[in-house]
Amino acid sequence: MRPPLHGRDERMLTAPTLSDLLRVASRTAPEAEAFRYRDERLTYRDWDALADRMAAALAARGVTHGDVVALLLPSTPLYHIAYLGAARIGAVTAGINARYRRTEIGHILRRSGAAMLIAVEAWHDADFRAAVASQRAALPELREVIWIPADDLRRCTAHVVAAVSEGAVPPLAATVAPDDPVAIIFTSGTTGVPKGAWYAHRSVLAVAEIDARRYAGAPPLQKHLAAGLSFAHIGTMARIGVQIAFRGSLIIHDAFDPAATLAAIERERLEHSGGFPTQILMLLDHPDRLRRDLTSLKSI
C-alpha cells in the first residue's frame, strides 16, 4: 500500500511531466508562496502563469521540442520560470553558473548544443555580453541570445517576463512525454572540464517521489533558504520537482552574506538549512551567530 501524502494532492506525484506538476500545484494551491526575492513575492499561480508566458516567448523565437535553452542567470526566480517555460514546450534546459567565465561558458554552450541562451547582461564584476561575444564564432548552433538587464532582474521578475514575451502568442499545447529530456546538468569541472548529464522528466519527478515517501510525515522543504547558491547546480536542476511537490516556499538571496543568512534563519524560524562547507564555516565564525536565536534549526 502506498503511504499517505499527508494533505498533498495525489495528482502531484502522478503528473507525467515537470510542467504538469507545476500546473497541478497552481490549481490546488494557487496562493501558496513559491518565491520570495528582495521585495517580490510570487505564488504558485504566478509561477505557472509566468512559465506560460516564457513558453510563448521561446516558441515565438523558434524554440521547439528537443531544443536546448541555456540559462546564464544568477539566483533569482527568473531561473525557475525559464526552466518551467522551456519544459512546457518540450525544450531542454542547460544551466550555466553565473560565476563561470568565458571558456567555461563557451564549453557548456558548445557541449549542450544550445539553440537559445537567456542571459543577464552583467552581474557583479562579470560582463557576460563580452564573454559570450568572445565565444560566438565557435557556437554555430546558438541562434539567439535574450539579454536581461541586471537592474530589471533585481527589480521585478514579472516585468522581465512581460518584456521578453511581449506580443508572443501562446503556443499550441506541446506533446511532452515522461521520458523526454528536460535538463542537461553539468558537473562543476573541479577535476576537468564540466561534463553534462541528461535528465528526463521522469527522473526529476522520481526525486520528488522519493522525498515524498521519505518525509511523508514532516516535509523538510516547506520553507527553504537559497543563500547565494547557483541554481545551475544539481541541487536545483534535479530537485526542482521536490519544491513543487511540497509546494515549498523558496527564500532567495542572490549572493551569500553570512549576517543576512543568520538573520533569515532567526526571522523565518527555519528548521533546515544547507550550503557548502566553506559557507557553513563562515556562519559558525561570524560574530552574529551568538547574538541570533537559531534554536529552530534542526539540521544542516
Side-chain angles (χ1 to χ4, degrees):
M1 178 182 294
R2 288 159 61 96
L5 296 183
H6 294 270
R8 288 188 299 284
D9 194 311
E10 277 283 354
R11 291 176 297 164
M12 294 294 288
L13 297 176
T14 56
T17 69
L18 185 61
S19 175
D20 294 324
L21 192 70
L22 178 61
R23 190 76 84 195
V24 172
S26 73
R27 291 173 178 169
T28 58
E31 299 306 321
E33 181 181 79
F35 304 111
R36 225 184 295 169
Y37 174 63
R38 295 179 179 255
D39 295 326
E40 190 170 30
R41 304 289 185 273
L42 295 174
T43 66
Y44 274 85
R45 176 188 286 138
D46 296 329
W47 188 0
D48 189 50
L50 291 170
D52 275 342
R53 297 195 70 171
M54 184 60 75
L58 293 173
R61 288 167 167 83
V63 176
T64 61
H65 190 288
D67 280 345
V68 175
V69 177
L71 305 181
L72 177 51
L73 297 170
S75 300
T76 77
L78 183 64
Y79 194 102
H80 292 67
I81 289 163
Y83 190 170
L84 269 294
R88 192 143 281 174
I89 58 174
V92 184
T93 295
I96 305 175
N97 193 320
R99 290 187 174 86
Y100 282 173
R101 292 301 179 258
R102 300 177 185 225
T103 56
E104 294 166 309
I105 292 168
H107 171 77
I108 289 178
L109 289 172
R110 281 192 302 276
R111 291 293 295 167
S112 66
M116 170 71 69
L117 171 64
I118 303 175
V120 66
E121 292 182 337
W123 197 258
H124 299 309
D125 62 341
D127 179 351
F128 290 119
R129 275 188 174 271
V132 173
S134 70
Q135 302 289 319
R136 195 65 190 267
L139 302 171
E141 295 179 89
L142 184 62
R143 299 194 298 264
E144 186 177 352
V145 181
I146 298 175
W147 290 107
I148 310 296
D151 287 344
D152 291 355
L153 196 56
R154 293 185 181 100
R155 192 176 299 117
C156 182
T157 304
H159 288 173
V160 170
V161 176
V164 169
S165 62
E166 185 177 7
V169 177
L172 296 174
T175 301
V176 184
D179 288 320
D180 286 345
V182 69
I184 306 174
I185 306 176
F186 280 83
T187 62
S188 64
T190 304
T191 58
V193 295
K195 300 170 183 65
W198 292 81
Y199 279 69
H201 287 264
R202 189 189 302 277
S203 308
V204 175
L205 296 183
V207 176
E209 176 80 15
I210 290 167
D211 268 32
R213 303 297 166 226
R214 180 181 297 160
Y215 302 111
L221 290 176
Q222 212 64 49
K223 185 162 56 175
H224 186 65
L225 174 65
L229 298 175
S230 171
F231 290 156
H233 191 268
I234 193 169
T236 292
M237 293 288 287
R239 294 182 60 80
I240 193 169
V242 177
Q243 177 188 346
I244 300 171
F246 285 118
R247 299 164 194 159
S249 176
L250 188 64
I251 303 166
I252 300 172
H253 294 180
D254 56 35
F256 180 69
D257 179 335
T261 299
L262 290 168
I265 293 170
E266 179 183 60
R267 181 180 64 253
E268 302 295 336
R269 304 303 296 158
L270 296 178
E271 296 185 358
H272 305 275
S273 186
F276 295 109
T278 50
Q279 293 175 320
I280 304 303
L281 287 173
M282 291 171 72
L283 293 176
L284 289 171
D285 292 340
H286 198 278
D288 282 2
R289 181 176 67 86
L290 298 178
R291 296 195 288 267
R292 293 291 184 183
D293 179 3
L294 309 178
T295 56
S296 63
L297 207 56
K298 295 179 180 178
S299 70
I300 299 289

